[in-house]
Amino acid sequence: MILKNIRINTLLRLGLGLILALVILLGAVALVQTNFLWSQTELIYKHPLQVSRAVGQLKADIENMRRAMRDLLLADNDQEMIKAQKDIEVSTLDAARQFEVVYDRYLGPRSDISSLEDDFVEWKIFQEELVQLAHAGRKDQALAQLKRAHARGQSSKVLVEHIQTISDFARNMGDKFYRQATLQNDSLKRHLVASLATILLVCIFISWFLMRRIRKPLADLTRAANEFRLGELDSRSEYVAENEFGALSAAFNEMAETVETQMFINEQAALITGMMLQEREVRTFFQKLIKELLEHTASQSGAVYLLNKQETLFEHFESIGLSDIGHRSFSASTLEGEFGAALATGVMQRISDIPEDTRSILATVSGDYLPREIITLPLFSDGKVVAMISLSSIQNYEEKAIRFLETIVVTVTARMNGLLAYRQVQELAKRLGQQNMELNSQKQELIAQANELSHQNTELEMQKNQLDAANRLKSTFLSNMSHELRTPLNSVIALSSVLGRRLAGKIPKEEVDYLEVIERNGRHLLSLINDILDLSRIESGRIEISPSCFSLRMLMGEVLEMIDPEAREKGIALQNQIDENLQPITTDPEKLRHIVQNLVSNAVKFTETGSVVVSVQLVEDQIHIAVRDTGIGIAAEHLPHIFEEFRQADEGTSRRYGGTGLGLAIAKKYANLLLGDITVESTPGKGSTFTLCLPTDLCRPDAEVKNYLGRSAGTVSDLQDIGPGRGQCILLVEDSEPAVVQMTDILTEHGYLVEVARDGSDALAYVEGCLPDAVILDLMMPGMDGFEVLRQIRSTDRTAPLPVLILTAKHVTQEELSFLTGNNIHQLIQKGDINQSQLLATVAKMVAQSEEKLTAPTPGNTGDRPHRLLPLVLVVEDNPDNLKTARAILEERYTVIDAADGLTAIELAREHRPDLILMDIALPVMDGFSALAALRQDEVLRHIPVVAVTASAMKGDREEILGHGFDGYVSKPIDEKKFMQLLQKVIHGGK
């Protein structure tokens, strides 16, 4: 019995401890025996083995000395004698070392070593005498002594015999040590076998004992668990002990009891839940509920109290077995009596000490009795107690009944809330029925009002459409009037400028000033018209964004250079504080120019003294352009309105400085179109700072990003570098007489010969007969317009390189601008806004480039490739528009010839041997693939690089085309920047 109650933990520790002790004992025995074996091995190694090695080496040294002595006596020259003597010395030194080992390790008599050493010393002396005789040239005498030594037994054989004696002793000692180690090894094996057998028997016994103590309780617990799992809820474990298995058995029995009780409670709760779900009327529900609760809890009375609508009292609603005193209501706020604790805590209460004034009196035939225990259950709705259930019994409640009530209280609460809500819904439905009757009458009135509103909405929609149409007509009218307004203004500005130059010094200064006033006011009027037209285009959504990559510092320098004369005239310092190393940005340069020009002009306009400073700061991925002035400033109450249309700071400012108030409004709208904003900080009397914030990279999926090099082709300094005209012929195609007079006056004054064509047909006829150095072309002309003239000029090889400058009063759309840039125009200038210096610089640069192109070889007289001034590119393209595009891109840097099919391309390649071939794939006669194959088979042409230029840009097309052997791939439409980079890499090796 004592062993049965021993804890399993203790048994395991005892058994494992005994096994561990036996293992330690076995290890100790093995360690002792191993140490002994090691000592024997160490003795063998340190003494017999070391001595045997030493005497063996000593024999070799003696033999080497003997042989070297013989070589010395038989040597024919000094070198052999020196070598033999050196061998004797080396062997002698090694023999000394071996004697030291023998002295240290030899276990035999020391006399053996002494005798050997004496003989070695004597022999060594004899050897030295022979060496001296040999060096003295008495080798015959030395040989005679050596023979006598052998005869007397004084040779090296005596030493070898002594050495053999020591070697035999060492070998005998080694054999002795080996025998002792063998005996010890046999003894160790016997001890280990006996120890292992003992440990094995003990382990088997311990395992058997422990398994016996563990298997029996486990089997009993397993049996009980399987029976319980199969539905025998009364199955229990019969194992009883004071160890872990006994505790586990008791815990299992307790768990089984709990589960059995809970299963019973769940079954009873399910029955009650089914009953509750069958009832829809509140009173019947509580009647059946009380009956079921009395039956399942062994109670003698039960009652339900509901909270009244005023939430002041709990009123008796239904009861069974309760006396009349229990029918009274009780307060919902005093928290007294048997219901007080339940109301205060919100949880079920079990009361055993029953007060005499309790309402839960049991009514019987023989009289009223006090219960022994009372249970109160609070029921909640929306976080507050709305009902109380009271149960009472003349006996103590079992724990099973308490757990049963705790299980069903949530279900009872949910069902009660549902029934109460259902009752409220019924009451509301009754009230809603009455309200619906009232609403029906109101609905008829609303229908009539809705019809009237619908009629009004129709009229408003018609008015809105009329307003939209009027607004579109206004925008269309203003846009269409651009040309009609600019043309007379251009005449006023141009002719007043011409008269001012021609009559300067010939008429009184006052009259010259009149002409300047006319020109200045004409330009002012043009600026106002431009602002109104810009505002109209913005409001109509017709403004288009053309992003370009350009130098911000260059653009800012052009703006400041243009405004600087006005600043100098007022005595204001216009400071440019922009870093020279500022990185290029990508946005619409013309819109940005308009914004900056407006901000800087306003700063100069409203500044009387001091300075205007322009600075740029890079903040993450944004550019902040700040324009700071020391002008009049803006009052705080006017700041919110300065960007509104037709608004200025105040009427006094408008009268003093003029203006319409459109400049800042347009600048603000342009900034928003460029995904930016303009902010302002100002102090009256001290100045203002306008800051333009823009992204450094304006990415628009509907716009192609190109390189932008500036607004004009040159400045005044450029004109000074290039010089005036030298009689070059400029063809001016213009139908407006004022514009003809103005342009002729400017150009002839600076050394150019101007020929005038009044319409497009005259211009083409002149070009056909005589090729000018450059063309200045108007776009809006009677008959044939400027677009058609430009197209026909670019359509022939003779006139295609002719530089063309566009001068127009028309607002150029994005589509028209694309056509102009695709046809390689040199510059576009608006009439009425002509800067004479920039115009002359542009014309001078056009003429200079035209003369450079005339020196380049033509395709007809192309010689060998090394003598070309420009690389020759063969463009193979059957689409005329695509061919023009390619020529417009290439002709400034390359000499271009073309072919419309693959067969013609091969013939031209053999004739001209171009530096590069740009090959379309879909070609008539012979397609691009076949043409490439033919080029690669020609020994002369096979090394010419061929780049595919094709509209095939689907996934996998590039790899397929390059797989045919093309040196590069360009997809249509052509990205000019990437296209030129590829050509640079293919022709010049990326330099």
Side-chain angles (χ1 to χ4, degrees):
M1 189 64 181
I2 296 176
L3 289 176
K4 182 178 181 181
N5 292 330
I6 294 177
R7 297 178 65 81
I8 300 300
N9 185 30
T10 304
L11 289 175
L12 290 174
R13 288 181 179 179
L14 290 174
L16 293 177
L18 180 59
I19 294 173
L20 182 61
L22 292 174
V23 171
I24 292 173
L25 177 62
L26 177 62
V29 172
L31 181 62
V32 171
Q33 297 296 332
T34 302
N35 286 336
F36 179 79
L37 289 175
W38 167 247
S39 63
Q40 295 298 318
T41 304
E42 187 177 22
L43 285 173
I44 293 173
Y45 177 77
K46 287 184 177 181
H47 296 286
L49 181 59
Q50 294 295 332
V51 171
S52 297
R53 289 178 177 176
V55 295
Q57 185 61 36
L58 187 59
K59 285 182 180 180
D61 290 338
I62 294 173
E63 179 61 25
N64 289 337
M65 291 172 66
R66 184 188 65 78
R67 189 181 300 109
M69 178 57 66
R70 185 191 61 188
D71 293 340
L72 177 65
L73 296 179
L74 298 177
D76 296 330
N77 50 54
D78 293 340
Q79 286 80 6
E80 294 179 357
M81 292 178 65
I82 292 173
K83 180 179 181 305
Q85 186 175 357
K86 185 175 181 181
D87 292 341
I88 293 173
E89 293 173 354
V90 170
S91 298
T92 303
L93 291 175
D94 187 68
R97 287 194 296 270
Q98 303 309 322
F99 271 113
E100 291 177 0
V101 173
V102 173
Y103 267 115
D104 184 50
R105 304 294 184 176
Y106 187 59
L107 298 176
R110 290 294 173 179
S111 59
D112 294 343
I113 301 174
S114 299
S115 175
L116 176 61
E117 187 176 14
D118 292 341
D119 291 342
F120 180 77
V121 170
E122 181 180 353
W123 185 72
K124 182 180 177 183
I125 293 172
F126 175 70
Q127 292 283 336
E128 291 174 353
E129 292 176 354
L130 294 178
V131 171
Q132 292 176 359
L133 292 175
H135 281 291
R138 299 160 62 186
K139 292 183 180 180
D140 295 337
Q141 184 178 351
L143 288 173
Q145 289 186 9
L146 182 60
K147 292 179 180 180
R148 286 196 296 271
H150 279 289
R152 293 197 301 268
Q154 295 177 345
S155 64
S156 58
K157 293 182 178 180
V158 177
L159 292 174
V160 173
E161 293 174 356
H162 289 172
I163 291 172
Q164 188 62 40
T165 300
I166 296 174
S167 176
D168 293 343
F169 183 84
R171 185 171 57 257
N172 292 335
M173 287 299 296
D175 294 341
K176 178 181 178 182
F177 290 149
Y178 174 75
R179 288 193 296 271
Q180 291 176 355
T182 301
L183 293 175
Q184 189 65 28
N185 181 50
D186 295 339
S187 174
L188 175 60
K189 290 181 180 179
R190 291 193 297 273
H191 291 163
L192 286 176
V193 171
S195 300
L196 287 174
T198 302
I199 292 173
L200 181 61
L201 292 175
V202 171
C203 290
I204 292 173
F205 174 75
I206 292 173
S207 300
W208 171 81
F209 181 76
L210 291 176
M211 292 298 295
R212 182 183 178 189
R213 295 301 311 280
I214 293 173
R215 187 184 297 111
K216 183 177 179 181
L218 280 179
D220 186 70
L221 283 170
T222 303
R223 174 196 58 78
N226 287 331
E227 292 176 354
F228 193 85
R229 178 177 59 82
L230 295 174
E232 299 180 18
L233 301 182
D234 58 346
S235 177
R236 301 292 184 269
S237 173
E238 298 176 357
Y239 182 81
V240 179
E242 297 180 3
N243 56 19
E244 290 90 337
F245 284 109
L248 180 61
S249 177
F252 173 80
N253 291 337
E254 183 179 354
M255 180 196 69
E257 186 70 26
T258 301
V259 171
E260 184 180 10
T261 302
Q262 189 63 43
M263 291 291 291
F264 174 77
I265 291 173
N266 291 341
E267 291 175 359
Q268 301 304 314
L271 293 175
I272 291 182
T273 301
M275 178 276 299
M276 291 188 294
L277 292 175
Q278 295 175 358
E279 298 298 330
R280 293 184 175 273
E281 204 276 324
V282 178
R283 187 170 297 276
T284 305
F285 167 75
F286 278 116
Q287 287 176 352
K288 290 189 177 182
L289 176 64
I290 294 173
K291 180 181 177 182
E292 294 292 335
L293 293 179
L294 294 180
E295 180 180 349
H296 288 91
T297 61
S299 299
Q300 281 70 47
S301 70
V304 175
Y305 300 88
L306 297 182
L307 185 66
N308 62 9
K309 294 182 179 180
Q310 294 77 23
E311 299 184 359
T312 57
L313 295 175
F314 280 92
E315 299 174 348
H316 175 269
F317 186 74
E318 194 64 51
S319 62
I320 295 177
L322 195 65
S323 63
D324 293 338
I325 193 173
H327 292 191
R328 295 180 300 180
S329 301
F330 62 92
S331 174
S333 58
T334 57
L335 305 180
E336 296 177 354
E338 64 264 34
F339 298 117
L343 287 173
T345 61
V347 297
M348 184 179 69
Q349 298 293 324
R350 181 179 181 183
I351 306 173
S352 299
D353 298 329
I354 309 301
E356 294 183 358
D357 60 348
T358 180
R359 65 178 57 246
S360 300
I361 301 299
L362 301 177
T364 65
V365 177
S366 58
D368 297 337
Y369 293 93
L370 285 175
R372 178 169 294 181
E373 283 191 343
I374 298 175
I375 294 178
T376 56
L377 284 171
L379 303 180
F380 288 83
S381 177
D382 296 330
K384 60 184 178 181
V385 179
V386 297
M388 294 288 293
I389 297 178
S390 176
L391 300 174
S392 56
S393 174
I394 58 176
Q395 298 178 352
N396 293 329
Y397 283 104
E398 297 181 358
E399 288 297 323
K400 184 184 296 185
I402 301 300
R403 291 178 58 187
F404 170 73
L405 292 175
E406 291 175 346
T407 301
I408 67 169
V409 65
V410 176
T411 305
V412 172
T413 300
R415 185 56 182 163
M416 179 202 68
N417 288 330
L419 292 175
L420 293 177
Y422 178 71
R423 186 169 68 173
Q424 292 177 354
V425 168
Q426 287 181 324
E427 295 175 355
L428 289 173
K430 187 181 295 184
R431 290 200 300 269
L432 287 174
Q434 298 174 353
Q435 294 176 357
N436 284 335
M437 295 178 64
E438 298 176 1
L439 290 174
N440 284 330
S441 60
Q442 296 176 1
K443 176 183 176 182
Q444 299 301 324
E445 297 178 4
L446 291 174
I447 290 174
Q449 296 177 0
N451 291 333
E452 184 178 354
L453 289 174
S454 176
H455 180 68
Q456 294 177 357
N457 287 336
T458 302
E459 293 181 355
L460 290 174
E461 184 67 23
M462 293 174 61
Q463 294 176 5
K464 177 180 178 295
N465 292 335
Q466 292 174 356
L467 289 174
D468 291 341
N471 187 50
R472 288 194 297 271
L473 287 174
K474 178 204 71 172
S475 301
T476 304
F477 170 76
L478 291 175
S479 180
N480 292 336
M481 286 298 293
S482 172
H483 182 264
E484 299 301 327
L485 291 172
R486 289 174 185 268
T487 299
L489 275 177
N490 180 63
S491 300
V492 173
I493 297 170
L495 294 181
S496 60
S497 175
V498 171
L499 288 175
R501 288 194 303 274
R502 289 183 178 182
L503 300 178
K506 299 179 181 179
I507 61 175
K509 184 178 184 302
E510 183 179 2
E511 295 181 3
V512 175
D513 293 339
Y514 293 161
L515 292 173
E516 291 179 355
V517 171
I518 295 173
E519 181 181 1
R520 182 168 62 253
N521 283 277
R523 292 185 183 276
H524 179 63
L525 182 57
L526 177 63
S527 175
L528 295 179
I529 292 173
N530 288 338
D531 286 344
I532 294 173
L533 292 174
D534 286 343
L535 183 62
S536 173
R537 287 195 296 271
I538 294 173
E539 291 177 348
S540 63
R542 295 171 63 183
I543 289 292
E544 299 170 330
I545 303 300
S546 300
S548 301
C549 181
F550 62 94
S551 169
L552 178 60
R553 177 175 173 81
M554 180 184 296
L555 184 144
M556 298 292 290
E558 293 174 0
V559 173
L560 297 181
E561 182 181 0
M562 181 179 64
I563 302 176
D564 186 62
E566 181 182 350
R568 286 200 305 269
E569 182 179 349
K570 297 183 67 175
I572 300 171
L574 186 56
Q575 301 178 13
N576 184 351
Q577 295 185 354
I578 303 175
D579 187 4
E580 294 183 358
N581 298 322
L582 188 66
Q583 66 180 17
I585 67 171
T586 300
T587 189
D588 190 320
E590 292 303 327
K591 304 296 184 297
L592 177 58
R593 179 190 298 275
H594 188 108
I595 298 170
V596 175
Q597 183 174 332
N598 185 280
L599 295 180
V600 178
S601 296
N602 275 2
V604 173
K605 177 180 179 181
F606 294 105
T607 302
E608 298 297 336
T609 60
S611 63
V612 174
V613 179
V614 181
S615 61
V616 176
Q617 184 179 7
L618 181 62
V619 181
E620 295 181 353
D621 57 347
Q622 283 197 332
I623 284 288
H624 290 189
I625 303 174
V627 180
R628 184 174 67 255
D629 63 63
T630 57
I632 62 175
I634 306 170
E637 63 270 19
H638 298 307
L639 284 176
H641 309 293
I642 63 172
F643 293 109
E644 296 179 4
E645 299 164 9
F646 306 105
R647 291 287 295 269
Q648 288 190 341
D650 53 38
E651 294 182 359
T653 303
S654 178
R655 288 193 299 270
R656 181 178 179 185
Y657 295 98
T660 61
L662 287 177
L664 287 178
I666 295 174
K668 178 80 168 179
K669 294 179 183 295
Y670 275 167
N672 294 337
L673 287 174
L674 299 181
L675 305 182
D677 196 12
I678 301 177
T679 59
V680 59
E681 298 176 359
S682 184
T683 304
K686 294 185 178 180
S688 307
T689 300
F690 285 81
T691 303
L692 170 63
C693 303
L694 292 176
T696 58
D697 188 1
L698 177 63
C699 297
R700 292 175 60 90
D702 58 341
E704 180 183 0
V705 177
K706 302 179 181 179
N707 285 328
Y708 177 81
L709 301 178
R711 185 179 186 184
S712 64
T715 62
V716 176
S717 60
D718 297 329
L719 179 61
Q720 294 172 351
D721 293 338
I722 297 175
R726 301 183 304 278
Q728 294 94 335
C729 179
I730 308 297
L731 175 61
L732 176 62
V733 187
E734 176 63 68
D735 63 324
S736 172
E737 188 62 30
V740 172
V741 172
Q742 181 189 29
M743 297 301 296
T744 303
D745 185 73
I746 293 174
L747 294 173
T748 55
E749 183 180 351
H750 286 81
Y752 296 100
L753 176 62
V754 179
E755 296 290 340
V756 179
R758 303 293 177 174
D759 56 36
S761 300
D762 291 344
L764 294 176
Y766 182 90
V767 171
E768 183 68 23
C770 179
L771 196 65
D773 294 286
V775 177
I776 298 178
L777 176 64
D778 187 17
L779 293 179
M780 302 298 292
M781 294 181 296
M784 182 184 298
D785 62 13
F787 296 104
E788 179 62 22
V789 173
L790 178 62
R791 188 188 68 78
Q792 293 196 27
I793 287 176
R794 294 290 185 245
S795 64
T796 64
D797 293 341
R798 178 174 173 272
T799 60
L802 191 62
V804 177
L805 171 68
I806 300 297
L807 178 66
T808 182
K810 182 184 187 300
H811 168 67
V812 180
T813 66
Q814 183 68 29
E815 181 179 356
E816 292 169 341
L817 182 61
S818 299
F819 172 81
L820 294 176
T821 55
N823 282 279
N824 196 25
I825 66 166
H826 198 82
Q827 185 63 35
L828 187 149
I829 298 178
Q830 290 285 350
K831 289 182 180 178
D833 193 21
I834 299 174
N835 184 303
Q836 180 176 340
S837 299
Q838 292 181 349
L839 172 65
L840 292 171
T842 302
V843 172
K845 193 167 185 179
M846 277 200 309
V847 173
Q849 291 181 354
S850 177
E851 292 176 349
E852 290 177 1
K853 289 185 178 181
L854 291 175
T855 61
T858 62
N861 60 9
T862 302
D864 294 335
R865 289 171 59 179
H867 301 290
R868 293 178 185 142
L869 295 177
L870 294 175
L872 179 62
V873 177
L874 170 59
V875 179
V876 188
E877 174 63 65
D878 62 325
N879 186 293
D881 293 338
N882 291 340
L883 180 60
K884 291 177 184 178
T885 302
R887 280 188 170 276
I889 295 174
L890 297 172
E891 284 184 334
E892 288 190 1
R893 300 184 183 181
Y894 306 98
T895 300
V896 180
I897 58 177
D898 61 84
D901 59 75
L903 190 59
T904 306
I906 295 172
E907 295 174 356
L908 288 177
R910 288 170 180 166
E911 180 181 353
H912 298 288
R913 284 189 293 162
D915 298 278
L916 173 68
I917 300 176
L918 299 177
M919 180 79 71
D920 189 15
I921 300 300
L923 294 171
V925 184
M926 178 184 290
D927 63 15
F929 294 130
S930 302
L932 176 67
L935 290 171
R936 292 292 183 253
Q937 292 174 2
D938 192 314
E939 291 296 330
V940 178
L941 306 178
R942 65 186 310 170
H943 300 296
I944 299 176
V946 182
V947 175
V949 182
T950 175
S952 300
M954 299 298 290
K955 183 177 180 182
D957 287 343
R958 181 180 186 275
E959 291 73 14
E960 180 183 357
I961 290 172
L962 292 177
H964 281 80
F966 284 94
D967 297 282
Y969 167 88
V970 177
S971 63
K972 299 177 183 176
I974 296 173
D975 184 322
E976 182 177 349
K977 182 178 180 181
K978 295 181 179 178
F979 181 58
M980 297 306 295
Q981 289 176 349
L982 176 62
L983 264 60
Q984 187 76 3
K985 181 178 180 181
V986 173
I987 296 177
H988 303 289
K991 296 180 181 179

